[in-house]
Structures are given as C-alpha cells and as structure tokens.
C-alpha cells in the first residue's frame, strides 16, 4: 500500500499556519508527501519552509481539484478554508473517491466547521450538554432550524460533508474549533476570530458590553488554546496514518475544547486589558442598549442582528471524542481569562 499523501489548506491562516508550524515536531507516523494549497508566490516560499510542496489551484474549480488530487495521489485532506459553504468540500470528496478508485487506498477528508454551527445561533438544542461523540449529532444537525436564517448554509455544509462521504466511500471528519485564543505561529494571520470581534466592538464604542440575554440560560461557550486545537488536529491525523479508525462520518465529530467559560467572564477579563491600554474608558461590563448594539454593529461592519453571532450566544457542545484518542488539552478553560490581557495586546498590535 502506498503511503498517504496529505494536502493541508489554509496554511496562511491562523489555524492552518499553526498546524504547519507544529507539523515537524509532531512525530507523525510515516506518510508520503505533504502538500499545501497556496495562492501567492510568497505563500509558496513560506510553506516550503515546513517541507510542504506548494500547490496552486482554485478549490472552487471542480476540474482543477480533481486534476491536483489525482496527479499527486492525495489521500488525506485537511480543509481549513471555509466553514460556511460546501462547494469546495463536495469537489474534494468526489476527487478523493477517484483517487480511491484508482489506487485502492482509503481516503480521508477533514472539514473544519465551528462551534457557532452547534450553538443557539444555529438552533442546536442547548438545554443540556451534547457530547461530540453523541451518535445522533448528525440527526440533531439535520433538524436544526437556525434563528439566524443564513446559518442554515453552514449547518447544511456539515451534513453535506457527511452525506457525500457516505455516498462516495470517503471517510469524513467534522472538526469543530470554538473560541480559539493565543498567538498563532503561522507566517500569515496570527489572530483568531471571536476575541478579535470583542476588541473591535470595544474599540468602536469605547466600552465592553454584554448583550441582553432574553433566555433563562447562561451564555457560555467552549474555549481552546490554539496549541491544544492543533494537537487535536494532529491526534486525528496520527490515528488515520496508523490505520486506526478514529471515528468518521456520523461518528466523526470532534470539538476542540478544554471546557467552557461564560462570555461575561471573558468580557470582564478583556475589558481590564482594554481599559489599561486606554482603548475603553471604564472596565465595567454593562448590558448593551439598542443603540449600543447598533454602534457595535457599525464597529464590526455587520448587521445589528449579527452582533451576537460574533461575540455571544450559548453552546453546550462538549468535547469527548479527542479524549478517547488520548488528546489532553494543556490549558484549562480558565486560562483564557488569565491570558486575556496578552490576547488584547496581540490583537491591538495587528488591528
Ligand atoms: N479561529 C477560530 O477561532 C475559528 C473558530 C471556529 C471556526 N473556524 C474556522 O476555521 C477555518 C480557519 O480559520 P482561521 O482562523 O485559520 O482563518 P484565517 O486565519 O482567516 O485563514 C483562512 C485561510 O483560508 C485561506 N483561503 C480562504 N479562501 C481560500 C481560497 N479560495 N483558496 C485558497 N485558500 C483560501 C486563506 O488564504 P489567504 O491567506 O490567501 O487569504 C487562509 O489561509 C475558517 O473556516 C473558520 O471559519 C475558526
């Protein structure tokens, strides 16, 4: 059997860049070649430093995807570039099926989704914790009716990935990052998403506001240090390369989280850092009124109804799958509160 050739996408991003930076020290089982999808000559140079052979093609061009995968016998794909739409994922999965047909090898597609798609914003039931090993997670997602209608696309993308994998005999994995924090180690973007939104909104309105909670349920969210997020990506890969099925398809969901924190605690910790640096006038977190939310939307360059999607909500998805593979997060959930001032500094440097 030929060894696996692996394609990593998003190498210039926060998650993908840190994945590449940790690749060499990960002590992975034997594989063939590592490829990285890039779109500029500068990125070509950068990924080569990690021993990755750069490939340039559009992930939204079905023929180009097929040609690249077949030509290079790519059998494992780490997809880190679009949690929302499924166009590229569908192309990659059917191209993997062709490689499988011609080589007889097992093929694997890991899709990076996000905790928002398993949260109150997406209509996931949040009354109880839901384990990422729940055998009905696919069915739960199939039934979700999101209060924010455009989230339906992202929910469908998770389900489509699983369905296409089943249809074409490709093993699929739904990897779910949450609030990721800590400085990225890649050559491109080194900051995350939700913590950046908190800082952007605070900068715009000179205060950190909590959004009004119209439910009885506490607003909590899973969190994960960037390095723990990456060790879970690598633990799944190690299992694939060792031919031990880590759990795929309907049993292939992986939340990368060490635990959860309340948004209010995260806001308060970041507000102290922001006040100390003079970005906001007062570190006290208060509840936003209608016009505050409007101003936050302007700062975030989004619609008012989308502010909560960027920095609030409730997600009770709970990580169990990674632990079953022996993955142990190094940083406890409270660490994000201790690291909040550093996170603020990092983000202010890059904004
Ligand atoms: N960071 C988080 O906290 C978090 C949480 C949940 C989910 N996620 C999801 O995980 C994924 C990666 O997140 P991230 O934080 O690493 O994002 P990021 O820093 O913005 O990186 C995105 C990467 O995707 C690449 N990309 C986008 N469109 C592409 C295309 N058409 N062809 C080739 N490359 C393309 C970008 O390349 P360029 O540099 O050339 O633009 C970049 O390398 C995203 O889908 C995100 O929604 C992230």
């Amino acid at each position: 059997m030929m060894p696996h050739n692996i394609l990593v996408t998003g190498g210039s991003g926060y998650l993908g860049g840190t994945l590449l930076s940790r690749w060499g020290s990960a002590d992975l089982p034997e594989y063939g070649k590592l490829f990285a999808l890039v779109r500029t000559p500068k990125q070509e140079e950068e990924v080569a430093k990690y021993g990755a052979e750069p490939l340039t093609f559009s992930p939204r061009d079905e023929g180009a995807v097929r040609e690249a995968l077949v030509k290079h016998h790519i059998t494992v794909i780490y997809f880190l570039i679009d949690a929302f739409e499924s166009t590229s994922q569908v192309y990659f999965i059917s191209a993997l099926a062709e490689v499988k047909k011609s080589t007889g090898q097992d093929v694997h597609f890991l899709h990076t989704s996000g905790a928002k798609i398993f949260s109150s914003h997406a209509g996931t039931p949040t009354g109880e914790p839901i384990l990422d090993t729940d055998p009905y997670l696919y069915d739960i997602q199939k039934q979700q009716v999101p209060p924010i209608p455009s989230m339906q696309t992202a929910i469908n993308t998770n389900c489509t990935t699983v369905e296409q994998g089943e249809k074409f005999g490709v093993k699929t994995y739904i990897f779910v990052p949450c609030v990721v924090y800590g400085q990225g180690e890649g050559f491109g973007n080194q900051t995350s998403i939700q913590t950046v939104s908190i800082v952007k909104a605070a900068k715009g309105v000179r205060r950190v506001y909590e959004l009004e909670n119209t439910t009885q349920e506490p607003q909590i969210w899973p969190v994960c240090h960037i390095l723990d997020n990456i060790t879970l990506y690598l633990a799944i890969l190690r299992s694939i390369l060792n031919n031990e099925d880590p759990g795929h398809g309907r049993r292939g969901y992986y939340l990368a989280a060490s635990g959860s924190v309340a948004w209010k605690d995260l806001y308060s910790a970041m507000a102290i850092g922001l006040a100390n640096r003079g970005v906001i006038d007062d570190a006290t977190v208060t509840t936003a009124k209608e016009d505050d939310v409007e101003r936050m939307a302007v700062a975030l360059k989004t619609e008012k109804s989308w502010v909560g999607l960027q920095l609030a909500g409730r997600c009770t998805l709970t990580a169990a799958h990674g632990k079953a593979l022996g993955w142990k997060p190094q940083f406890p959930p409270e660490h994000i509160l201790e690291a909040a001032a550093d996170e603020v500094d990092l983000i202010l440097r890059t904004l």
Side-chain angles (χ1 to χ4, degrees):
M1 196 57 92
M2 271 165 63
H4 283 292
N5 287 342
I6 306 163
L7 172 67
V8 168
T9 65
S12 53
Y14 176 61
L15 300 181
T18 313
L19 177 62
L20 285 181
S21 118
R22 292 279 157 162
W23 197 274
S25 58
D27 196 21
L28 289 167
E30 198 195 339
Y31 60 89
K33 275 186 171 182
L34 170 65
F35 294 94
L37 179 69
V38 295
R39 44 183 181 180
T40 67
K42 172 89 177 109
Q43 292 175 357
E44 279 187 20
E45 268 173 45
E46 293 290 347
V47 301
K49 292 180 190 161
Y50 301 105
E53 189 173 310
L55 295 181
T56 304
F57 61 87
S58 169
R60 289 175 164 264
D61 175 340
E62 187 171 14
V65 170
R66 188 188 317 112
E67 193 186 314
L69 267 58
V70 169
K71 179 172 175 201
H72 299 290
H73 300 287
I74 291 166
T75 49
V76 178
I77 295 185
Y78 263 42
F79 188 82
L80 287 83
I81 60 179
D82 191 352
F84 203 71
E85 290 182 356
S86 64
T87 314
S88 304
Q89 293 83 325
V90 169
Y91 296 161
F92 276 112
I93 291 169
S94 64
L96 281 171
E98 271 195 42
V99 177
K100 180 178 179 177
K101 211 160 49 177
S102 64
T103 63
Q105 264 182 295
D106 247 6
V107 288
H108 305 266
F109 182 82
L110 180 140
H111 166 64
T112 302
S113 180
K116 285 176 192 169
I117 303 156
F118 297 82
S119 76
S120 54
H121 301 302
T124 312
T126 57
E128 301 287 332
I130 303 178
L131 296 182
D132 58 356
T133 49
D134 188 316
Y136 298 107
L137 206 40
Y138 167 84
D139 305 275
I140 292 170
Q141 290 243 284
K142 261 321 239 194
Q143 287 163 24
Q144 283 177 214
V145 179
I148 299 179
S150 55
M151 288 298 284
Q152 190 68 57
T153 306
I155 301 165
N156 291 350
T157 289
N158 287 349
C159 295
T160 301
T161 299
V162 172
E163 288 155 13
Q164 294 292 302
E166 289 174 347
K167 180 171 164 198
F168 287 105
V170 174
K171 291 185 175 161
T172 58
Y173 310 87
I174 306 288
F175 188 94
V176 188
C178 48
V179 168
V180 189
Y181 68 98
Q183 182 161 10
E185 295 179 347
F187 60 87
N189 179 26
Q190 295 193 337
T191 57
S192 189
I193 298 177
Q194 280 137 312
T195 51
V196 176
S197 297
I198 293 171
V199 171
K200 278 187 181 164
K203 234 182 139 185
V205 303
R206 295 199 63 82
R207 178 154 211 139
V208 179
Y209 287 105
E210 172 180 35
L211 299 189
E212 192 187 354
N213 182 7
T214 50
T215 72
Q216 297 299 313
E217 297 179 320
Q219 302 294 287
I220 54 164
W221 206 269
V223 294
C224 194
H225 190 274
I226 177 71
L227 294 182
D228 286 329
N229 192 94
I230 297 311
T231 55
L232 181 57
Y233 270 128
L234 291 166
I236 298 167
L237 184 61
R238 203 169 281 122
S239 176
I240 291 172
L241 295 175
N242 282 332
N243 289 317
E244 323 152 335
D245 183 359
H248 66 273
R250 293 177 195 223
R251 305 303 293 262
Y253 296 81
Y254 299 83
L255 172 68
S258 60
S260 296
V261 299
W263 284 108
K264 179 82 184 277
D265 293 338
L266 180 57
Y267 299 151
S268 299
M270 291 183 71
I272 294 169
L274 287 160
N276 285 342
R277 279 138 198 96
V279 175
I280 59 174
D281 305 311
D282 180 343
T284 319
V285 177
T286 54
T287 304
K289 298 192 201 67
E290 284 294 306
D291 62 320
D292 301 321
V293 183
E294 263 160 39
R295 291 187 302 128
M296 289 167 81
V298 172
L300 291 168
K301 299 192 172 71
T302 191
E303 290 166 35
K304 199 174 151 202
S305 58
W306 279 45
V307 172
L309 179 63
Q310 297 208 15
L311 44 68
R314 177 169 162 91
C315 176
T316 58
L317 190 63
T318 301
H321 207 160
K323 287 172 196 152
L325 300 183
W327 171 72
K328 273 199 207 77
Q330 202 184 321
F331 298 92
E334 315 77 66
H335 181 257
I336 192 172
L337 308 178
E338 293 155 25
D342 292 341
E343 186 78 4
V344 164
D345 282 342
L346 167 69
I347 294 165
L348 290 176
R349 277 200 304 277
T350 52
L351 276 186

